[in-house]
């Protein structure tokens, strides 16, 4: 059974960089899947952030592209997110995920439990 | 990319059917069958309910069905049950090889 677990340093100050890591168990990250991040501000909807393939190929949400970087560590079976210059609007529950894409489908089949990141001074 | 458009809320009585719409553009929903639906009860992570417009993952009741016409996808839940009460989100693949979500719909079972 695939399991994903987010981890991060906790509260982040405005203008700092938010860094999160997602550990994957029960499945090799070096598989035909995309590994990504979605966030959800308190009381609001889901926002897709980005995903990465194990080769390092990435795609980012255009609205966040200038501030987001994803990386993958196949030796540790984990992937990471960095979001720079954060403000209060970046406060959200951040979910890591596995996305399965093929010629006919593209869907998120596994989600982490989510981690609340609060941006506050 | 703009979020897909969903109604903020829908409601239905137990046993009835409801349909949630998801409207995009020719750059996402209209061009791909890569549309999926997710159920999110309060305080939990989303769960995949429908993928590739109308396919159900193993374990999802056949009361859940999906369809698409043009730029609009739809999720229909028949035989509503109290446990179906949750937020529902659609998602689509886009021309930019990214994903985009709808704004979400709160389903209330009366």
């Amino acid at each position: 059974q695939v399991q994903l677990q987010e981890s991060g340093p906790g509260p982040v100050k405005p203008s700092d960089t938010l860094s999160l890591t997602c550990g994957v168990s029960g499945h090799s990250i070096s598989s035909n899947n995309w590994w990504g991040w979605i966030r959800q501000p308190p009381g609001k909807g889901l926002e897709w952030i980005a995903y990465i393939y194990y080769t390092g190929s990435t795609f980012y949400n255009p609205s966040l592209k200038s501030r987001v970087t994803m990386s993958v560590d196949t030796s540790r079976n984990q992937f990471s997110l960095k979001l720079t210059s954060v403000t209060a609007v970046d406060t959200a529950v951040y979910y890591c995920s596995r996305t399965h894409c093929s010629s006919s489908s593209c869907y998120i089949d596994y989600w982490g439990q989510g981690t609340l990141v609060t941006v506050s001074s | 990319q703009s979020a897909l458009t969903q109604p903020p809320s829908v409601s239905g009585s137990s046993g009835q059917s409801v349909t949630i719409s998801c409207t995009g553009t020719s750059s996402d929903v209209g061009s791909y069958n890569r549309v999926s639906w997710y159920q999110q009860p309060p305080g939990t992570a989303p769960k995949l309910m429908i993928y590739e417009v109308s396919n159900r993952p193993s374990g999802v009741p056949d009361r859940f069905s999906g369809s698409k016409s043009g730029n609009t996808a739809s999720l229909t839940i028949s035989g509503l049950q109290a446990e179906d009460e949750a937020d529902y989100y659609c998602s689509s693949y886009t021309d930019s090889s990214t994903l985009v979500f709808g704004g979400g719909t709160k389903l209330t079972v009366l």
Side-chain angles (χ1 to χ4, degrees):
Chain A
Q1 178 74 347
V2 181
Q3 291 187 315
L4 300 98
Q5 179 66 57
E6 304 89 352
S7 62
V12 182
K13 289 183 167 53
S15 79
D16 281 356
T17 295
L18 180 162
S19 297
L20 293 171
T21 296
C22 182
V24 180
S25 59
H27 190 81
S28 172
I29 205 168
S30 302
S31 59
N32 188 26
N33 293 287
W34 292 80
W35 305 92
W37 295 93
I38 296 98
R39 69 180 183 178
Q40 185 171 35
K44 297 189 177 181
L46 302 171
E47 180 180 31
W48 184 82
I49 300 173
Y51 50 27
I52 190 168
Y53 202 65
Y54 74 92
T55 56
S57 179
T58 54
F59 289 97
Y60 299 120
N61 185 325
S63 67
L64 296 170
K65 189 173 183 177
S66 64
R67 298 195 292 132
V68 172
T69 303
M70 281 195 68
S71 59
V72 63
D73 186 340
T74 55
S75 65
R76 295 186 177 186
N77 220 43
Q78 64 185 33
F79 59 99
S80 299
L81 171 76
K82 289 190 186 299
L83 178 66
T84 62
S85 304
V86 298
T87 68
V89 299
D90 295 309
T91 293
V93 174
Y94 285 75
Y95 295 99
C96 61
S97 65
R98 187 182 88 166
T99 301
H100 179 74
C101 288
S102 68
S103 59
S104 59
S105 62
C106 196
Y107 53 88
I108 301 168
D109 53 1
Y110 289 96
W111 299 70
Q113 65 182 26
T115 186
L116 175 63
V117 177
T118 302
V119 179
S120 174
S121 54
Chain B
Q1 59 194 30
S2 298
L4 308 176
T5 301
Q6 297 181 231
S9 64
V10 297
S11 62
S13 299
S14 181
Q16 288 188 330
S17 295
V18 294
T19 296
I20 300 171
S21 62
C22 169
T23 301
T25 69
S26 58
S27 296
D28 38 63
V29 176
S31 290
Y32 304 97
N33 284 334
R34 297 172 177 177
V35 175
S36 51
W37 289 89
Y38 304 87
Q39 177 193 64
Q40 186 182 34
T44 69
K47 173 189 174 184
L48 178 67
M49 303 301 285
I50 296 286
Y51 66 96
E52 205 173 317
V53 174
S54 59
N55 292 318
R56 280 176 289 104
S58 174
V60 173
D62 59 6
R63 303 184 293 103
F64 291 83
S65 63
S67 63
K68 192 188 87 164
S69 177
N71 294 340
T72 298
S74 298
L75 172 71
T76 297
I77 309 170
S78 58
L80 273 176
Q81 299 182 4
E83 67 201 49
D84 299 333
E85 192 161 286
D87 293 329
Y88 290 83
Y89 295 89
C90 60
S91 175
S92 175
Y93 185 77
T94 79
D95 278 353
S96 302
S97 300
T98 61
L99 296 181
V100 62
F101 283 102
T105 298
K106 181 178 179 61
L107 168 64
T108 300
V109 180
L110 304 171

